[in-house]
């Protein structure tokens, strides 16, 4: 049976390089997990959260799904947020999408993709809500990229409206929710200027 030896080889080289730079890294890591950040990102293989943020293992708690959605019936995502907020006590929740997102593109297509169409329905709703603005984009790439941005913004508000974050703010826990987007073509992050620091801020800015 093929056991993918090249991946195990990669792993050993990676572990050796980390130990060379930080001799006590794995010993320390095994004792604790205390990240300040939760990143909710896309499952796209070209968007590795730790690497694009320049953070080592242990510095970032991560949840990924197709098109970086935060759905209030998704117990997986909500459980990650709850653990990050209530147990790890993260200070920042980052929703990070990316331009040219395949999930966003698929949501616009008039063909069946199977089960995932139920998931992508949420992006179709964002498209419908912002239809007037999006009609101004004649170039398809610009249109898709703007929808990618609007999707991130919507998910930021979805994070803020969870009972988890609302309860944390009510007890004066320090949590800020950010909306960022990543450019695969240049490797750069962009701040979408949606940074919510508490319930009052959320109520004033929500869509």
């Amino acid at each position: 049976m093929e056991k993918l030896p090249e991946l195990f080889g990669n792993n050993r080289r990676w572990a050796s390089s980390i130990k060379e730079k930080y001799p006590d890294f794995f010993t320390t890591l095994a004792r604790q997990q205390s990240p300040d950040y939760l990143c909710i990102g896309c499952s796209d293989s070209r968007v590795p959260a730790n690497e694009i943020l320049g953070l080592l293992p242990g510095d970032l708690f991560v949840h990924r799904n197709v098109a970086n959605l935060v759905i209030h019936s998704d117990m997986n995502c909500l459980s990650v947020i709850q653990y990050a907020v209530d147990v790890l006590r993260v200070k920042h929740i980052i929703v990070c999408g990316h331009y040219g997102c395949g999930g966003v593109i698929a949501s616009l297509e008039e063909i069946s993709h199977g089960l995932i169409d139920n998931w992508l329905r949420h992006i179709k709703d964002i498209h419908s809500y912002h239809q007037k603005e999006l009609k101004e984009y004649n170039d398809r790439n610009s249109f898709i990229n703007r929808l990618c941005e609007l999707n991130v913004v919507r998910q930021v508000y979805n994070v803020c409206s969870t009972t988890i974050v609302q309860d944390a703010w009510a007890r004066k826990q320090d949590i800020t929710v950010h909306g960022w987007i990543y450019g695969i073509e240049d490797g750069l992050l962009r701040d979408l200027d949606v940074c919510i620091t508490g319930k009052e801020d959320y109520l004033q800015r929500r869509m």
Side-chain angles (χ1 to χ4, degrees):
M1 180 178 178
E2 178 59 60
K3 296 183 179 179
L4 300 176
E6 66 275 16
L7 298 187
F8 283 94
N10 290 346
N11 168 254
R12 286 173 175 78
R13 285 187 290 274
W14 171 78
S16 295
S17 68
I18 291 289
K19 283 192 237 181
E20 188 176 334
K21 292 179 185 176
Y22 312 100
D24 298 325
F25 178 80
F26 290 110
T27 303
T28 303
L29 192 66
R31 293 195 194 113
Q32 63 180 2
Q33 177 181 212
S34 55
D36 286 331
Y37 314 99
L38 163 63
C39 182
I40 300 172
C42 183
S43 298
D44 193 300
S45 62
R46 301 166 295 176
V47 191
N50 279 76
E51 291 185 32
I52 67 174
L53 295 174
L55 296 175
L56 290 168
D59 292 337
L60 184 71
F61 200 56
V62 178
H63 175 77
R64 297 172 72 176
N65 62 50
V66 174
N68 44 268
L69 298 180
V70 179
I71 309 303
H72 297 308
S73 58
D74 180 4
M75 293 298 109
N76 187 344
C77 183
L78 293 180
S79 296
V80 170
I81 295 172
Q82 189 271 330
Y83 188 82
V85 170
D86 293 348
V87 179
L88 297 178
R89 310 284 289 187
V90 299
K91 293 181 173 59
H92 301 274
I93 300 175
I94 302 160
V95 179
C96 186
H98 67 96
Y99 290 121
C101 178
V104 171
I105 294 170
S107 75
L108 298 170
E109 295 173 341
E110 298 297 328
I111 59 174
S112 174
H113 300 91
L115 178 65
I116 197 172
D117 285 334
N118 298 281
W119 182 256
L120 299 178
R121 176 72 250 178
H122 299 283
I123 304 176
K124 287 181 180 289
D125 292 341
I126 296 168
H127 178 205
S128 297
Y129 186 86
H130 293 279
Q131 197 167 26
K132 184 176 179 180
E133 176 191 345
L134 289 167
K135 280 182 180 177
E136 297 176 7
Y137 292 86
N138 297 318
D139 174 73
R140 179 169 170 77
N141 285 338
S142 298
F143 173 90
I144 289 169
N145 286 339
R146 181 55 181 154
L147 184 53
C148 290
E149 293 176 345
L150 291 170
N151 179 44
V152 169
V153 174
R154 168 53 62 189
Q155 306 320 315
V156 166
Y157 287 102
N158 286 352
V159 170
C160 293
S161 64
T162 62
T163 56
I164 304 154
V165 172
Q166 290 286 317
D167 289 347
W169 281 336
R171 61 178 179 261
K172 307 301 182 185
Q173 189 171 335
D174 180 19
I175 298 174
T176 301
V177 185
H178 310 260
W180 297 352
I181 196 157
Y182 174 70
I184 293 174
E185 293 181 350
D186 60 15
L188 297 178
L189 287 165
R190 292 161 180 83
D191 191 333
L192 293 177
D193 194 29
V194 52
C195 179
I196 301 178
T197 58
K199 187 169 184 177
E200 289 186 11
D201 191 14
Y202 161 69
L203 292 174
Q204 290 173 0
R205 299 184 55 166
R206 68 180 175 179
M207 300 168 71

